[in-house]
Amino acid sequence: MNGSVPSLLSPENWPFSLEFLPQPAYIVGGAVRDAILGKTREYLDLDFVVPSDAVKVARKIATHYKAGFVLLDPQRQIARVVFPNATADFAQQEGECLETDLHRRDFTVNAIAYNPHTQEIIDPLQGYLDLQQRLLRMISPANFVDDPLRLMRAYRQAAQLGFTIEPNTEAEIRSLASHITIVAPERVRAELSYMLVNAKGTLWITKAWEHNLLVPFFKYATKESVSLLTVLDKVAFQLAQMWQQFGVELDQYIRDTVKTTWLGVAKLATLVNSEPKIAEIELMELTYSRAEIKAVSTALTVLPQLKKPLMSLREQYFFFQEAGSVFSASVALALADGTSLEALTPLITRYLNPDDLVAYPIPLLSGRHIMLALNIPASPLVGKLLTEIAVAQIEGKISTAEQAIKFATRLLGND
């Protein structure tokens, strides 16, 4: 057995002292699996199983260390203690003994326990062997039925760990796929989000769709549209090779608080209906945030414009106004959909140049200036005049505030 396990899971690395844990107590799940794989984590995420009083144990630790305390499930006695650089979950053992508890888990690699008091590894389901073979093997089909999210989790964990799913397990998932519809949509979305973040997830999203796990949530996806996920990964790589800044942007989260990247937005756009309004409903049902829904909807809305041959300066101006920060996702989508890079290069060049007036117009006047100079009230007309001034500016017809006023006067027919 891997000698690094005790050192990676050693109580000296915990944010609390071992003496707060009753005997026996066990670390289970991902932390043990990752320690055996030799993976170190900056943020410690520990799951403990204790025979009784799990919530009491957690509350005592939280109180002593002035840490955050969250009661996750009062019925099943599960609580969380949140430290600055670690989270510790405490769960009441399910069943008469630890072995019964381990038999109720999802995959053998997640059913290995570690006793920090004795430094002993408990592995009744031979998860260690499956770890060595990089295999996800189910413990029992009944465990999938108990929590059908585990069907989806198989694909997400395969993506995260770089594992394959054992053939019998995959066959069982396919036969139980219809159970996924009883899972809360936000839980499905969370698993999918992990797979959208990097290229390793693409194969597994594709498989999850082929095995009917994603079909209930993306009713309009087709074999062709799902195949664009792989193309998008290639396109993102190509764009990053040519314009490093573009690659960086595609990998960025659309907001600090929203863990979907701009490339993830493009990928979602291939899974939903190409009609923005229908796509919005699909994403709302999956409980995506307003920011994500708007990003996908905008990407789909501006996509037809990117497929048009040469846009005039006026069209480019309106395009950049509408696309905004969704530009990188839209370009990736257009390229995946067959638009040539040559056709998009002029727009990409403008977008990457902060001084470009078409992509980043600098107003010559404010609406207030126009109202005062032309003696007109606040109305939609002011906005229209500002737009026409901006277009005239990028077309090189005007370049100063004085010229802008004269131009607006002519437009009003007051010359």
Side-chain angles (χ1 to χ4, degrees):
M1 184 61 75
N2 191 324
S4 67
V5 178
S7 61
L8 284 173
L9 296 177
S10 165
E12 64 202 39
N13 297 323
W14 302 355
F16 66 91
S17 167
L18 177 62
E19 65 201 38
F20 281 90
L21 276 189
Q23 295 220 38
Y26 306 94
I27 303 177
V28 293
V32 181
R33 179 197 69 216
D34 288 354
I36 293 170
L37 289 171
K39 283 187 179 182
T40 52
R41 299 174 170 200
E42 276 179 37
Y43 187 92
L44 206 55
D45 194 356
L46 299 170
D47 288 295
F48 291 93
V49 166
V50 294
S52 61
D53 297 329
V55 172
K56 229 184 235 177
V57 171
R59 206 184 285 279
K60 190 176 173 188
I61 292 170
T63 305
H64 185 270
Y65 288 92
K66 297 184 172 58
F69 174 85
V70 188
L71 184 58
L72 295 175
D73 188 335
Q75 272 74 42
R76 290 166 61 213
Q77 283 273 305
I78 304 173
R80 173 169 296 167
V81 184
V82 183
F83 298 92
N85 294 314
T87 302
D89 284 3
F90 295 84
Q92 192 103 322
Q93 180 178 286
E94 287 196 42
E96 292 301 302
C97 62
L98 175 70
E99 199 152 322
T100 308
D101 185 285
L102 295 176
H103 273 84
R104 290 182 180 172
R105 294 178 179 268
D106 50 9
F107 308 106
T108 59
V109 297
N110 297 327
I112 306 169
Y114 173 70
N115 183 336
H117 290 291
T118 61
Q119 299 197 355
E120 175 194 6
I121 294 245
I122 300 100
D123 182 19
L125 291 143
Q126 308 203 296
Y128 183 72
L129 284 175
D130 286 333
L131 273 182
Q132 287 181 308
Q133 294 175 59
R134 305 183 80 74
L135 271 185
L136 281 177
R137 184 191 305 275
M138 67 178 173
I139 290 169
S140 106
N143 294 4
F144 283 146
V145 177
D146 283 346
D147 181 2
L149 183 70
R150 289 167 168 171
L151 300 164
M152 191 77 177
R153 203 177 281 152
Y155 297 82
R156 189 261 292 174
Q157 292 203 352
Q160 278 191 316
L161 297 166
F163 281 22
T164 52
I165 299 173
E166 182 268 331
N168 287 340
T169 302
E170 192 163 77
E172 203 61 58
I173 290 170
R174 294 179 82 150
S175 73
L176 293 170
S178 61
H179 287 73
I180 197 72
T181 54
I182 65 170
V183 176
E186 60 268 23
R187 296 180 76 208
V188 173
R189 187 203 74 229
E191 298 298 320
L192 180 61
S193 295
Y194 284 118
M195 293 190 276
L196 284 170
V197 168
N198 63 38
K200 281 183 190 164
T202 299
L203 163 73
W204 296 104
I205 294 174
T206 307
K207 284 197 176 218
W209 182 79
E210 286 169 354
H211 299 166
N212 293 320
L213 285 173
L214 286 175
V215 173
F217 307 99
F218 298 103
K219 298 179 183 70
Y220 304 98
T222 61
K223 192 166 187 182
E224 289 70 37
S225 66
V226 173
S227 71
L228 289 179
L229 295 170
T230 311
V231 184
L232 276 168
D233 286 326
K234 289 177 184 157
V235 160
F237 181 75
Q238 183 188 12
L239 286 166
Q241 296 286 93
M242 295 191 70
W243 296 281
Q244 188 189 1
Q245 187 189 332
F246 211 92
V248 168
E249 188 163 320
L250 282 171
D251 276 343
Q252 275 173 348
Y253 292 134
I254 66 170
R255 295 235 178 116
D256 289 345
T257 51
V258 177
K259 300 303 182 204
T260 299
T261 61
W262 289 111
L263 182 58
V265 164
K267 287 179 175 180
L268 275 175
T270 68
L271 294 172
V272 293
N273 192 293
S274 58
E275 176 55 51
K277 287 280 172 273
I278 300 172
E280 284 178 15
I281 294 164
E282 286 185 88
L283 295 172
M284 277 168 70
E285 285 172 354
L286 273 166
T287 70
Y288 274 95
S289 69
R290 281 170 66 180
E292 288 160 308
I293 294 170
K294 190 171 188 317
V296 173
S297 172
T298 303
L300 290 169
T301 303
V302 301
L303 183 60
Q305 297 168 57
L306 281 174
K307 293 167 148 184
K308 277 171 56 176
L310 291 171
M311 278 193 247
S312 67
L313 281 177
R314 183 186 185 87
E315 287 171 325
Q316 288 182 44
Y317 168 81
F318 286 113
F319 167 77
F320 278 113
Q321 290 291 299
E322 188 168 13
S325 54
V326 183
F327 179 82
S328 58
S330 310
V331 164
L333 260 184
L335 289 170
D337 211 20
T339 307
S340 77
L341 185 58
E342 194 182 359
L344 296 177
T345 298
L347 288 173
I348 294 171
T349 309
R350 284 196 187 284
Y351 179 75
L352 293 177
N353 175 10
D355 299 322
D356 186 280
L357 285 178
V358 180
Y360 307 102
I362 299 168
L364 292 170
L365 297 169
S366 68
R368 189 172 163 73
H369 274 129
I370 292 221
M371 282 153 47
L372 288 169
L374 301 181
N375 195 21
I376 55 173
S379 70
L381 174 65
V382 177
K384 284 180 186 164
L385 288 171
L386 284 172
T387 298
E388 290 306 325
I389 288 168
V391 173
Q393 183 189 3
I394 63 172
E395 288 176 344
K397 292 174 183 171
I398 58 173
S399 60
T400 66
E402 291 75 26
Q403 289 170 344
I405 295 288
K406 282 184 184 169
F407 177 77
T409 308
R410 281 202 303 278
L411 285 178
L412 287 177
N414 295 344
D415 199 6

